Amino acid sequence: MNTLKPNILFFVIDSFRADKCFGDSKTSITPNLDNLQKNGISFTQTISTVATTIPSLGSIFTSKFPNNVGLSVEKFEQLNLDSPTYLQIFKKNGYDTNATMPEIASDFGLTCDFKNDDSSYDNYFGLFDGLGDKILQKLSSNNFKTPWFLYIHLFDLHTPIILPSEFDDKQYGESNYEKMISAIDHWIGKIINKVDLENTLIILTADHGEYVPVIHHNNEIINFESGIGESKLWLLGNKVPPQLYPLKKKFGFLLRKMRKSNKKSKLSNLSLSTYEKRVMLESRMSEGHRMFDDLLHVPLIISGPSLPENKVIKTQVRQVDIFPTIADIIGIEPISQIDGTSLLPLINDKDVEELPAYIESPPTITGNLKKVIGIRTSKYKFLKSSDETKNVFELYDLQNDPLEENNIVNTQTQIVTEMESILMQIGKKSTKNNESMDAKKRKIVRDNLRKLGYV
């Protein structure tokens, strides 16, 4: 029997939706993702805490909701350094911790627990630009001390999607989004082939989902995805010097307004559902709470030695449950006073009560949007303003209305009362953030977020 702690290979595919990983609705070609599922456990109802990268990763690394690590705020702040992360726990238990992740994460204190100096890369440095080769070289160098932990955060699916030419073909998917998933899968296979599967635990998930503006209507496909010209214009805009940001912002606002008007005009004669209008006209950067399942329902696959194969778990689980599960699998003590729980009993077919998922709206740079918080169960989703003076309430019956088109908050008062009670209990544990950014740091973060389209 192998008594060594397993190595851990942890993938986060930025903006990856669960329904484009599991089930029959996907059109991507993903032999390597499919193989991971066949050789491991698929959690098909995994819920992200928030539809933006930084608070989401904060929750994953600490196993706490954003309000308990100082990230549940109107505008972006750094991770509260008083909150221990699982990376620190792994280091204490002999793990060599390494990462390959976009530079935006380093702006918020999320790379400080990784050993390697090259833990972050330019946000638009993709797998086909040389990043994939760098990852393979890293795994081939034998510089990792066993047991090792390697975190790989892939940004290729994040807007704007720039497809490699070899995957720009309808055989790889009906949308650029799904074609890019096929392309990413190609590299997932290459990376996995570099590790010893007999002693490696593999986790694959996402920080959040994304709207994909592609629908089937009257036997036709309507596609509002960005074209290559628009995507290149986006990238070109990132090179605008800071002194021209006000002009860029104004131009960007006018361009987005014009595009949305053109989209509305093209859809005006069509009878579309509430859901179809939402995905075709909105984006993850649009104003509003951005807490629909397209943005929060993410994949989770865990595969490794001594774990069940081809197992599908449909019970709702949360991002905050991922690292306690890893700790349980490899036999180390979890962090105390966390919001997550180990999923190992669920994996072992124990009778486990489903836990509610706390969710919230993303922060902004300026903080000019009010925070919305909520609770999701497998049956209902409840949303409300965190500011009691704001009367924002939504309730959706997820079993009968999975596309969240009908707000039933006025007819289900008992459910609303129960959900508010859960939120109240979670709110009692909220932690104040002592890591507010100074003006210089905030400017760096603001500039990087602008490049990613958050402004």
Side-chain angles (χ1 to χ4, degrees):
M1 180 178 177
N2 189 355
T3 58
L4 294 175
K5 290 187 178 72
N7 301 318
I8 301 171
L9 180 59
F10 195 115
F11 291 101
V12 166
I13 302 177
D14 202 289
S15 307
F16 194 17
R17 290 165 46 143
D19 64 333
K20 301 303 182 181
C21 180
F22 307 126
D24 300 327
S25 67
K26 71 174 187 175
T27 63
S28 306
I29 305 299
T30 56
N32 297 296
L33 290 174
D34 297 344
N35 195 49
L36 268 183
Q37 294 175 50
K38 289 176 184 176
N39 292 297
I41 308 128
S42 301
F43 297 87
T44 60
Q45 284 291 324
T46 305
I47 305 303
S48 169
T49 305
V50 56
T52 197
T53 301
I54 303 308
S56 171
L57 294 186
S59 281
I60 292 175
F61 289 169
T62 64
S63 190
K64 293 181 180 181
F65 299 135
N67 61 318
N68 292 328
V69 289
L71 294 175
S72 183
V73 286
E74 277 72 24
K75 61 182 180 180
F76 285 98
E77 295 289 358
Q78 282 184 281
L79 179 70
N80 192 335
L81 298 181
D82 292 333
S83 296
T85 72
Y86 267 94
L87 301 172
Q88 295 166 359
I89 300 299
F90 288 159
K91 287 169 70 174
K92 289 180 181 178
N93 281 270
Y95 273 86
D96 190 33
T97 58
N98 298 266
T100 297
M101 62 198 308
E103 63 182 355
I104 188 66
S106 64
D107 295 333
F108 294 88
L110 292 173
T111 59
C112 56
D113 292 315
F114 295 114
K115 183 195 75 172
N116 55 314
D117 294 332
D118 60 343
S119 61
S120 61
Y121 60 85
D122 181 87
N123 295 322
Y124 290 109
F125 184 45
L127 286 167
F128 290 82
D129 301 323
L131 178 63
D133 289 330
K134 283 185 175 293
I135 294 171
L136 296 182
Q137 290 168 11
K138 191 174 293 188
L139 285 166
S140 300
S141 66
N142 294 319
N143 288 333
F144 293 168
K145 177 184 175 184
T146 303
W148 50 258
F149 176 98
L150 176 59
Y151 176 89
I152 298 176
H153 190 122
L154 302 176
F155 224 49
D156 300 72
L157 202 56
H158 189 284
T159 303
I161 294 174
I162 306 294
L163 272 174
S165 58
E166 57 264 49
F167 285 89
D168 192 6
D169 189 291
K170 63 182 180 180
Q171 68 172 308
Y172 295 112
E174 71 175 20
S175 65
N176 288 346
Y177 183 92
E178 293 194 82
K179 291 172 187 174
M180 182 56 85
I181 292 171
S182 297
I184 292 171
D185 181 87
H186 170 75
W187 278 101
I188 293 287
K190 285 188 171 187
I191 293 168
I192 289 176
N193 284 337
K194 287 289 184 180
V195 304
D196 176 12
L197 295 179
E198 295 296 319
N199 192 43
T200 304
L201 183 65
I202 300 175
I203 300 93
L204 186 142
T205 188
D207 49 354
H208 52 74
E210 186 58 277
Y211 288 130
V212 181
V214 180
I215 60 172
H216 292 259
H217 191 82
N218 292 336
N219 297 319
E220 293 184 4
I221 296 177
I222 304 174
N223 188 327
F224 280 175
E225 289 182 295
S226 299
I228 186 65
E230 187 176 335
S231 297
K232 287 186 175 180
L233 182 62
W234 179 314
L235 294 178
L236 183 63
N238 295 336
K239 298 179 181 179
V240 170
Q243 61 267 29
L244 295 180
Y245 276 156
L247 183 61
K248 175 193 170 185
K249 184 176 181 180
K250 184 176 181 179
F251 176 74
F253 172 79
L254 293 174
L255 192 60
R256 287 191 297 271
K257 186 176 180 180
M258 183 177 67
R259 286 174 184 156
K260 190 166 185 177
S261 177
N262 288 339
K263 290 177 181 179
K264 284 183 176 180
S265 177
K266 291 178 181 179
L267 299 175
S268 60
N269 295 324
L270 303 179
S271 178
L272 300 182
S273 68
T274 300
Y275 173 77
E276 288 172 328
K277 291 177 182 176
R278 181 194 308 152
V279 300
M280 297 302 280
L281 296 174
E282 303 297 331
S283 75
R284 192 169 52 83
M285 283 72 164
S286 299
E287 290 192 1
H289 59 65
R290 291 165 285 175
M291 295 164 69
F292 293 108
D293 271 8
D294 290 52
L295 307 181
L296 296 179
H297 186 190
V298 297
L300 173 61
I301 304 169
I302 301 178
S303 175
S306 303
L307 290 176
E309 296 182 357
N310 204 24
K311 189 179 186 74
V312 178
I313 294 178
K314 298 180 180 179
T315 303
Q316 175 181 282
V317 300
R318 299 90 47 89
Q319 282 182 326
V320 291
D321 300 328
I322 297 175
F323 268 112
T325 304
I326 298 173
D328 205 0
I329 290 172
I330 65 179
I332 65 175
E333 287 293 319
I335 298 174
S336 60
Q337 297 181 329
I338 56 176
D339 296 309
T341 187
S342 172
L343 302 175
L344 193 56
L346 196 59
I347 293 171
N348 292 330
D349 297 320
K350 300 291 179 63
D351 187 13
V352 177
E353 180 184 3
E354 179 187 279
L355 297 176
Y358 170 80
I359 55 179
E360 62 175 49
S361 61
T364 65
I365 294 176
T366 60
N368 60 357
L369 294 177
K370 293 297 182 181
K371 177 67 65 176
V372 177
I373 57 177
I375 292 294
R376 189 195 190 278
T377 68
S378 58
K379 294 181 179 179
Y380 295 99
K381 179 184 287 183
F382 172 68
L383 309 176
K384 65 170 290 187
S385 174
S386 63
D387 184 348
E388 296 296 339
T389 64
K390 298 291 182 180
N391 192 24
V392 177
F393 288 97
E394 296 178 33
L395 179 69
Y396 299 99
D397 181 342
L398 299 178
Q399 293 185 331
N400 296 307
D401 178 27
L403 300 182
E404 303 167 89
E405 295 181 301
N406 302 302
N407 181 8
I408 59 171
V409 72
N410 293 323
T411 62
Q412 297 292 335
T413 55
Q414 181 60 38
I415 301 297
V416 170
T417 300
E418 293 172 5
M419 294 292 199
E420 286 195 299
S421 177
I422 296 172
L423 274 177
M424 188 178 299
Q425 292 302 314
I426 292 174
K428 288 180 179 178
K429 297 194 296 181
S430 293
T431 301
K432 183 178 179 182
N433 195 339
N434 297 319
E435 306 299 330
S436 182
M437 296 180 188
D438 59 29
K440 182 179 179 181
K441 183 70 173 178
R442 189 169 296 285
K443 182 182 183 302
I444 295 172
V445 168
R446 185 173 61 247
D447 291 346
N448 278 329
L449 289 170
R450 276 196 179 104
K451 292 178 182 180
L452 295 175
Y454 289 98
V455 178

